Amino acid sequence: MTTALLQVSDITAGYRPDLPILHGVSVSVSEAEMVTIIGPNGAGKSTLVKAIAGLVPISSGTVSVAGSNVTNLLTHKLATASIAYVPQTANVFTTLTIDENLKLGASTLSKAEGARRIAMAYDNFPVLQKYRSHKAKVLSGGQRQTLAVARALLTEPRLLMLDEPSAGLSPLMVSEVFERLKSLVSTGVAILMVEQNVKAALAISDRTYVLAEGRNRIDGPSSELAGDSQVATIYLGAGGRKR
Amino acid sequence: MLQALADGILTGSIIALGAIGLTLTMGILRFANFAHAELITWGAYMALGVLAITGVFAGPIGPFSFGLPLILATLVAAVLTAALALVVDYLVFRPLRSHTNHMTVVFSSFGVSLLVRMVILLIFGGSAEYYSDELQIAVRLMPGLRVMPDHLFTLGLTLVIVIALHFFLQRTRLGLSMRALAENPDLVRINGIDTRTVVRWTWIIGAALAAVAGVLYGMTVQLRPEIGFQLLLPLFAAAILGGVGNVFGAVVGGLIVGLAESFSVLFIPAGYKMAVPFIILLAVLYVRPSGLFGGMRGGAK
Ligand SMILES: Nc1ncnc2c1ncn2[C@@H]1O[C@H](COP(=O)(O)OP(=O)(O)OP(=O)(O)O)[C@@H](O)[C@H]1O
Ligand SMILES: [Mg+2]
């Protein structure tokens, strides 16, 4: 592990200049590494990934990808920076068809290349093929999540950011999604994901960061945090000592 | 009766062209742009200006009152109207959009509309103008129904534009981005699309259609600086009736408003005609709050 693929250093960010949500958060992700971010509701987990994606302004600190500075990136340049991002909510266009959703995801590619990768996506996710000309609003929550991930992978990113990919899925689906993510990592894609399914996330990811009140609290190899009693305390919102 | 039907469809198709641009910009930029109707006036007068400057009056084509010069003038007017829309967006709406609340932008559009009308009044004066003084012979389509060739042309052109626009929105990348932008701007950016470009094209298309509507209005009725003001309510009624952001809805809405206006004069004094679109609007919104066909912005519900 020389230079990290994603390096977030000490960022302050928020929706309004006078009200920072993140107070100096640092996170790093290496090539082909799976990193989880956990923390209580309102901790700033989504805000962190949004800030990396350029959707929330960063007032201090830096974000870099593979050594180049992408702080306050224009969001439409995410793909150029080799990042793909699946938001927590509203992550598909419900008024467009599955096919149109995928076509939008391929809009940074040439038409021919886009068509080729969309065909591959249909092979990988048969459920999408089945509904390809239906509006995305007919999809179930799990199917929408599948569509959102399939869309994100079209640009063949080096880093995939997922905000609660398992939200609202049945336990069976959760393990299925995580298995798929694991196999993605084995192909060399790095993953930064926010999760509420703490147990499953700790079991599958390489490293984990615990965030609370817009600050880093604990981080380390997931296997070590799994047995840490402090994680449970913070996670349950009991506060925990400031470190 | 038949005549009212023909008149209504004519007015309706002009309203529809204006309402398409309005519904697109409202759906995507999410504010009621009261200056949109003024783009219609601007387009109509720019075409007049081009005709006056070039001074060419090559004879009319076939049975129509106009010839090639007006067609070329309309193209130039469409470009000039798009330019006006882009300049106004850049100087007025864009800074306000990001810094202040929604109502400020709406009120600023009132200001813009007054300003545009004053500029036109200053340059062209307030009296009625015509593109051509050619006399047209009405064709009798069937007993009790006589229409001007120009009117048939208007209908045909509207139809062609609506079909072309439909294919543009359904089949092209830009059209797809425009529909997506109406639902979820952030997700469009996440997909790697620069929304500023898409917004610019939306203005260009809306303004060009407004210019065409203006020329058609000037050709079939007359040119006055208050064309836009008179079309304001019908445009909004049509756009809202059809569901904001819905192009097909705007066309149907335009036709409904046009027909209602022309039939209303059979029953009520012509002075009340302007209230008719408003009454229909209220009636429809009472039953279907998101318009007849629902909006394009499903995510916002
Ligand atoms: N669009 C917004 N505008 C203003 N404040 C916001 C916005 N979104 C979130 N916040 C605030 O930012 C803080 C952190 O929210 P964030 O969504 O990052 O939390 P989270 O850790 O992702 O929580 P959850 O687990 O519930 O998804 C909260 O206090 C929230 O009220
Ligand atoms: Mg969140």
Side-chain angles (χ1 to χ4, degrees):
Chain A
M1 185 170 113
T2 45
T3 56
L5 175 62
L6 173 76
Q7 183 69 57
V8 177
S9 310
D10 201 21
I11 62 166
T12 302
Y15 301 87
R16 297 205 321 250
D18 53 326
L19 192 74
I21 302 288
L22 304 178
H23 310 270
V25 172
S26 300
V27 167
S28 76
V29 182
S30 303
E31 298 272 0
E33 189 186 25
M34 192 174 198
V35 172
T36 310
I37 295 174
I38 58 175
N41 293 119
K45 307 180 296 295
S46 295
T47 306
L48 172 63
V49 281
K50 281 191 223 168
I52 298 169
L55 291 169
V56 171
I58 298 170
S59 51
S60 73
T62 57
V63 178
S64 63
V65 173
S68 60
N69 189 339
V70 294
T71 314
N72 286 318
L73 183 74
L74 289 171
T75 303
H76 68 265
K77 296 203 171 133
L78 268 175
T80 327
S82 218
I83 306 178
Y85 163 48
V86 177
Q88 181 173 0
T89 52
N91 51 24
V92 301
F93 295 101
T94 55
T95 55
L96 303 183
T97 66
I98 311 307
D99 210 41
E100 289 171 335
N101 269 280
L102 292 173
K103 277 193 181 130
L104 274 175
S107 48
T108 51
L109 308 168
S110 73
K111 278 231 162 109
E113 184 60 16
R116 195 182 67 79
R117 293 195 197 172
I118 289 173
M120 263 165 51
Y122 282 137
D123 285 344
N124 289 336
F125 305 97
V127 62
L128 300 181
Q129 169 80 39
K130 187 172 155 206
Y131 292 106
R132 60 183 294 169
S133 52
H134 287 66
K135 291 260 157 73
K137 69 172 162 230
V138 308
L139 297 180
S140 73
Q143 292 167 338
R144 282 185 200 197
Q145 205 65 41
T146 307
L147 173 59
V149 171
R151 186 276 301 162
L153 291 175
L154 288 175
T155 54
E156 299 186 346
R158 288 166 74 186
L159 173 68
L160 178 60
M161 298 198 296
L162 302 161
D163 198 345
E164 301 202 17
S166 72
L169 302 188
S170 64
L172 201 68
M173 274 295 287
V174 173
S175 50
E176 199 182 307
V177 166
F178 280 6
E179 278 317 310
R180 202 177 265 286
L181 295 181
K182 192 83 203 164
S183 67
L184 209 59
V185 170
S186 69
T187 67
V189 179
I191 291 182
L192 176 64
M193 66 173 181
V194 175
E195 258 308 331
Q196 297 282 14
N197 260 311
V198 179
K199 263 211 186 111
L202 287 176
I204 198 164
S205 61
D206 300 310
R207 276 186 314 119
T208 295
Y209 289 83
V210 182
L211 236 61
E213 292 159 14
R215 291 184 168 85
N216 289 71
R217 296 303 284 273
I218 305 174
D219 59 83
S222 304
S223 50
E224 286 176 22
L225 293 198
D228 192 323
S229 63
Q230 245 197 325
V231 172
T233 327
I234 294 173
Y235 194 73
L236 293 172
R241 258 180 317 111
K242 283 237 160 104
R243 310 190 345 152
Chain B
M1 280 304 266
L2 224 47
Q3 196 63 50
L5 184 70
D7 291 346
I9 292 176
L10 177 73
T11 326
S13 57
I14 293 174
I15 293 172
L17 283 183
I20 291 172
L22 179 65
T23 206
L24 283 177
T25 49
M26 268 208 288
I28 287 173
L29 302 169
R30 300 179 186 200
F31 79 99
N33 178 14
F34 285 95
H36 190 84
E38 242 46 61
L39 295 176
I40 292 179
T41 324
W42 178 266
Y45 274 94
M46 285 304 111
L48 185 72
V50 171
L51 281 182
I53 290 170
T54 53
V56 277
F57 283 105
I61 304 171
F64 303 116
S65 73
F66 58 91
L68 212 51
L70 183 62
I71 296 175
L72 294 177
T74 306
L75 293 178
V76 176
V79 172
L80 292 175
T81 310
L84 175 70
L86 290 175
V87 167
V88 167
D89 184 56
Y90 186 80
L91 291 181
V92 185
F93 299 149
R94 193 192 49 113
L96 291 178
R97 241 194 332 263
S98 46
H99 296 301
T100 51
N101 72 31
H102 186 85
M103 283 318 281
T104 320
V105 190
V106 175
F107 280 113
S108 77
S109 77
F110 267 116
V112 168
S113 97
L114 279 176
L115 205 67
V116 171
R117 203 181 317 154
M118 291 309 140
V119 169
I120 290 168
L121 205 60
L122 213 67
I123 303 176
F124 295 94
S127 54
E129 305 270 0
Y130 299 88
Y131 290 120
S132 126
D133 42 19
E134 290 286 333
L135 274 181
Q136 271 195 93
I137 302 145
V139 268
R140 192 159 156 260
L141 287 186
M142 58 176 84
L145 181 63
R146 302 169 74 83
V147 290
M148 296 289 190
D150 281 4
H151 296 180
L152 288 177
F153 176 82
T154 300
L155 281 184
L157 184 62
T158 306
L159 201 65
V160 169
I161 288 177
V162 169
I163 291 171
L165 196 64
H166 176 78
F167 276 96
F168 166 77
L169 286 171
Q170 292 299 322
R171 298 287 160 82
T172 67
R173 273 188 172 176
L174 183 59
L176 184 58
S177 311
M178 283 170 63
R179 287 188 290 143
L181 191 54
E183 179 180 334
N184 187 342
D186 276 347
L187 193 55
V188 174
R189 289 181 201 113
I190 291 166
N191 275 280
I193 297 159
D194 189 348
T195 51
R196 293 168 300 183
T197 313
V198 184
V199 166
R200 258 176 241 136
W201 278 105
T202 309
W203 280 118
I204 291 173
I205 291 167
L209 292 179
V212 173
V215 172
L216 292 175
Y217 191 90
M219 198 167 83
T220 52
V221 189
Q222 58 178 199
L223 279 154
R224 302 185 72 95
E226 51 287 351
I227 298 177
F229 180 69
Q230 280 163 3
L231 284 174
L232 186 62
L233 203 52
L235 288 188
F236 271 95
I240 296 169
L241 264 181
V244 170
N246 189 326
V247 168
F248 171 73
V251 173
V252 176
L255 288 175
I256 292 176
V257 171
L259 285 170
E261 278 192 357
S262 74
F263 275 101
S264 73
V265 291
L266 298 179
F267 307 107
I268 59 172
Y272 294 105
K273 194 169 103 172
M274 273 191 89
V276 172
F278 202 64
I279 294 166
I280 304 173
L281 186 60
L282 288 180
V284 169
L285 290 186
Y286 187 73
V287 190
R288 290 184 65 95
S290 60
L292 287 175
F293 307 99
M296 189 157 71
R297 41 172 168 178
K301 270 178 200 154

